[in-house]
Amino acid sequence: PEYAPALLMLGVVQTQLARYVDAEQHILAALRIDPTWSYAYVAYGDLMSRTGHDAKAARLWRKALELDPQSAEAHQRLALAHVEENDTA
């Protein structure tokens, strides 16, 4: 499908199923269709976090906040990442 919400939902479900390569392909396809969709960056950050790419995840969540400063999801993810970072320091 060439419908960003459907592609993103496929990516989110595949992330939850640990099908990370497929998940990334679908999330990136959604972002190509709508590069201003902040929630797609949140979802991509979630995928990066689950695969151990924490710095990239944080950059993606910050990008989501640039696009939508009110994004509760992005604020939450960044706050949790900060807490986890401080817990391991």
Side-chain angles (χ1 to χ4, degrees), residues 32-76:
R32 279 191 295 276
I33 293 168
D34 186 356
T36 65
W37 189 13
S38 67
Y39 187 72
Y41 288 95
V42 171
Y44 194 18
D46 292 347
L47 169 62
M48 290 296 102
S49 178
R50 288 202 47 183
T51 57
H53 298 92
D54 297 330
K56 185 170 183 177
R59 285 193 303 272
L60 290 161
W61 294 325
R62 282 193 288 277
K63 174 69 175 177
L65 285 176
E66 286 176 25
L67 295 168
D68 178 10
Q70 303 303 315
S71 171
E73 295 91 352
H75 279 289
Q76 177 199 35

Side-chain angles (χ1 to χ4, degrees), residues 5-42:
L7 288 165
L8 185 65
M9 285 298 99
L10 282 170
V12 168
V13 168
Q14 289 167 332
T15 297
Q16 294 169 349
L17 296 172
R19 294 179 57 187
Y20 301 129
V21 172
D22 293 332
E24 185 170 27
Q25 290 174 352
H26 284 104
I27 293 169
L28 288 174
L31 282 168
R32 279 191 295 276
I33 293 168
D34 186 356
T36 65
W37 189 13
S38 67
Y39 187 72
Y41 288 95
V42 171

Side-chain angles (χ1 to χ4, degrees), residues 80-89:
L80 289 172
H82 182 71
V83 167
E84 290 173 7
E85 182 179 289
N86 287 338
D87 283 349
T88 60

